[in-house]
Amino acid sequence: MSAYYVNFLVKSKPSLPAALVQYAARELMTRAESIKVSRQKVHEISTAPLPLSEWKLAYPNSLIEQTHVCNEAAHEMNWVQRLKKAMSASVSSRISWSELSAADYAPSQTALVFAPMVLDVSDDVLVTMAVMPKWFSADGVLLFATLANGSLPELVNAQPEWLDLFTHWHNIMDVGARLQALSFGLPVLDVETLTLSYSEFDTLWQDLVAFLPALQSKSDEETQVWWDKAHGLFNQGLRHISLEVLYGQVWQPNVKAAKTEHTVSLESLADQLTKRNYPS
């Protein structure tokens, strides 16, 4: 394979596999079954939204809102599409990551929001968590999924130098500490390991580039080196890679009332006590 083709894959910034994103969405849906929160409106924010029929089956009496996070600009709907949207019990929109994370982004407030693998679109997952409160209402719950740092052990075990590309992933303790620092209420976290299988190297490589943003900033020559490493492992029989998926559930950040503190000198306090005990 030429460096040109490798460079094309890197510069195109492929997304995480849609099957992985949708698997995580279904897992979040299962976790939401026990949550006591309004289901009048359900919002999915995703790079690969589930079929609308699945959401309507799970929440038949809810307004379903889906936001597709992608690099393509939102297209103008014709009158037929606008009519279908008005008559449907669903709302669909397209948005870029920069728009979703912008300071002035203000979606319609929803109590139950699912965000599978959306944080992985950003450059820094922990920093990005600060924008999550804008995605759901004050009395709502947000369920999210993101990749964690136990992913791709097959590469590290075979070639430890792959570990240099894993600095963007965090463990469950890092994420928990970040959520606490952001004052999210009742955070619940758990981790699951998934195994992906490949029969073709091109698909494996494209997914590795999507999983490892560090590859996307490499020069053609550097990328070719990593391609050769991965291709060598594939020729040696590598057909499966493991991913660690971290699932999270949070309520809106706790808003604590501002403290009212007064500084009183001992002399002033003694004077007040004297006047109280011996009024003039």
mmCIF file of all heavy atoms in Angstrom, residues 21 60 71 87 94 125 131 143 153 204 248 269:
data_model
loop_
_atom_site.group_PDB
_atom_site.id
_atom_site.type_symbol
_atom_site.label_atom_id
_atom_site.label_comp_id
_atom_site.label_asym_id
_atom_site.label_seq_id
_atom_site.Cartn_x
_atom_site.Cartn_y
_atom_site.Cartn_z
ATOM 1 N N VAL A 21 -21.057 2.096 17.792
ATOM 2 C CA VAL A 21 -21.821 3.204 18.365
ATOM 3 C C VAL A 21 -23.250 2.762 18.679
ATOM 4 O O VAL A 21 -23.796 3.060 19.753
ATOM 5 C CB VAL A 21 -21.831 4.408 17.406
ATOM 6 C CG1 VAL A 21 -22.675 5.543 17.972
ATOM 7 C CG2 VAL A 21 -20.401 4.895 17.150
ATOM 8 N N PRO A 60 -42.817 4.215 22.989
ATOM 9 C CA PRO A 60 -43.915 4.449 22.031
ATOM 10 C C PRO A 60 -44.698 5.729 22.274
ATOM 11 O O PRO A 60 -45.324 6.253 21.350
ATOM 12 C CB PRO A 60 -44.803 3.212 22.223
ATOM 13 C CG PRO A 60 -44.475 2.716 23.597
ATOM 14 C CD PRO A 60 -43.022 2.997 23.790
ATOM 15 N N ASN A 71 -19.710 15.697 10.012
ATOM 16 C CA ASN A 71 -18.977 16.815 9.421
ATOM 17 C C ASN A 71 -19.744 17.477 8.289
ATOM 18 O O ASN A 71 -19.353 18.536 7.807
ATOM 19 C CB ASN A 71 -17.619 16.337 8.896
ATOM 20 C CG ASN A 71 -16.693 15.926 10.024
ATOM 21 O OD1 ASN A 71 -16.705 16.543 11.080
ATOM 22 N ND2 ASN A 71 -15.906 14.889 9.808
ATOM 23 N N MET A 87 -45.601 16.096 10.944
ATOM 24 C CA MET A 87 -46.587 15.069 11.253
ATOM 25 C C MET A 87 -45.993 13.907 12.041
ATOM 26 O O MET A 87 -46.727 13.046 12.531
ATOM 27 C CB MET A 87 -47.190 14.536 9.951
ATOM 28 C CG MET A 87 -47.947 15.581 9.141
ATOM 29 S SD MET A 87 -48.570 14.927 7.572
ATOM 30 C CE MET A 87 -49.704 13.663 8.154
ATOM 31 N N ARG A 94 -29.026 17.468 11.929
ATOM 32 C CA ARG A 94 -27.605 17.182 11.743
ATOM 33 C C ARG A 94 -26.809 18.347 12.313
ATOM 34 O O ARG A 94 -27.214 19.508 12.196
ATOM 35 C CB ARG A 94 -27.277 16.996 10.256
ATOM 36 C CG ARG A 94 -28.064 15.886 9.595
ATOM 37 C CD ARG A 94 -27.896 15.922 8.091
ATOM 38 N NE ARG A 94 -26.571 15.455 7.683
ATOM 39 C CZ ARG A 94 -26.288 14.192 7.394
ATOM 40 N NH1 ARG A 94 -27.230 13.274 7.460
ATOM 41 N NH2 ARG A 94 -25.087 13.830 7.017
ATOM 42 N N VAL A 125 -11.590 14.050 25.969
ATOM 43 C CA VAL A 125 -12.867 13.611 26.544
ATOM 44 C C VAL A 125 -13.143 14.271 27.885
ATOM 45 O O VAL A 125 -14.259 14.748 28.142
ATOM 46 C CB VAL A 125 -12.886 12.075 26.686
ATOM 47 C CG1 VAL A 125 -14.087 11.619 27.505
ATOM 48 C CG2 VAL A 125 -12.914 11.418 25.313
ATOM 49 N N VAL A 131 -19.230 20.417 28.724
ATOM 50 C CA VAL A 131 -20.340 20.910 27.896
ATOM 51 C C VAL A 131 -21.585 20.037 28.046
ATOM 52 O O VAL A 131 -22.666 20.416 27.586
ATOM 53 C CB VAL A 131 -19.950 20.998 26.401
ATOM 54 C CG1 VAL A 131 -18.670 21.777 26.221
ATOM 55 C CG2 VAL A 131 -19.830 19.614 25.778
ATOM 56 N N LEU A 143 -27.128 9.705 29.718
ATOM 57 C CA LEU A 143 -26.389 8.452 29.657
ATOM 58 C C LEU A 143 -25.404 8.539 28.503
ATOM 59 O O LEU A 143 -25.777 8.897 27.386
ATOM 60 C CB LEU A 143 -27.338 7.271 29.451
ATOM 61 C CG LEU A 143 -28.321 7.034 30.603
ATOM 62 C CD1 LEU A 143 -29.707 7.533 30.214
ATOM 63 C CD2 LEU A 143 -28.386 5.548 30.960
ATOM 64 N N PRO A 153 -5.505 -4.169 23.899
ATOM 65 C CA PRO A 153 -4.365 -4.841 24.547
ATOM 66 C C PRO A 153 -3.596 -5.747 23.589
ATOM 67 O O PRO A 153 -2.401 -5.992 23.800
ATOM 68 C CB PRO A 153 -5.038 -5.654 25.664
ATOM 69 C CG PRO A 153 -6.431 -5.892 25.168
ATOM 70 C CD PRO A 153 -6.792 -4.629 24.429
ATOM 71 N N LEU A 204 -9.667 -3.172 9.319
ATOM 72 C CA LEU A 204 -8.989 -3.071 10.609
ATOM 73 C C LEU A 204 -8.209 -1.770 10.707
ATOM 74 O O LEU A 204 -8.291 -1.045 11.711
ATOM 75 C CB LEU A 204 -8.048 -4.271 10.796
ATOM 76 C CG LEU A 204 -7.084 -4.184 11.993
ATOM 77 C CD1 LEU A 204 -7.845 -4.107 13.305
ATOM 78 C CD2 LEU A 204 -6.117 -5.372 11.986
ATOM 79 N N GLY A 248 -21.598 5.670 31.344
ATOM 80 C CA GLY A 248 -21.835 6.609 32.433
ATOM 81 C C GLY A 248 -23.266 7.102 32.471
ATOM 82 O O GLY A 248 -23.950 7.174 31.437
ATOM 83 N N LEU A 269 -18.708 41.308 68.803
ATOM 84 C CA LEU A 269 -19.575 40.286 69.359
ATOM 85 C C LEU A 269 -19.787 40.514 70.853
ATOM 86 O O LEU A 269 -20.911 40.408 71.368
ATOM 87 C CB LEU A 269 -18.962 38.907 69.112
ATOM 88 C CG LEU A 269 -19.760 37.702 69.624
ATOM 89 C CD1 LEU A 269 -21.141 37.682 68.980
ATOM 90 C CD2 LEU A 269 -19.021 36.406 69.351
#
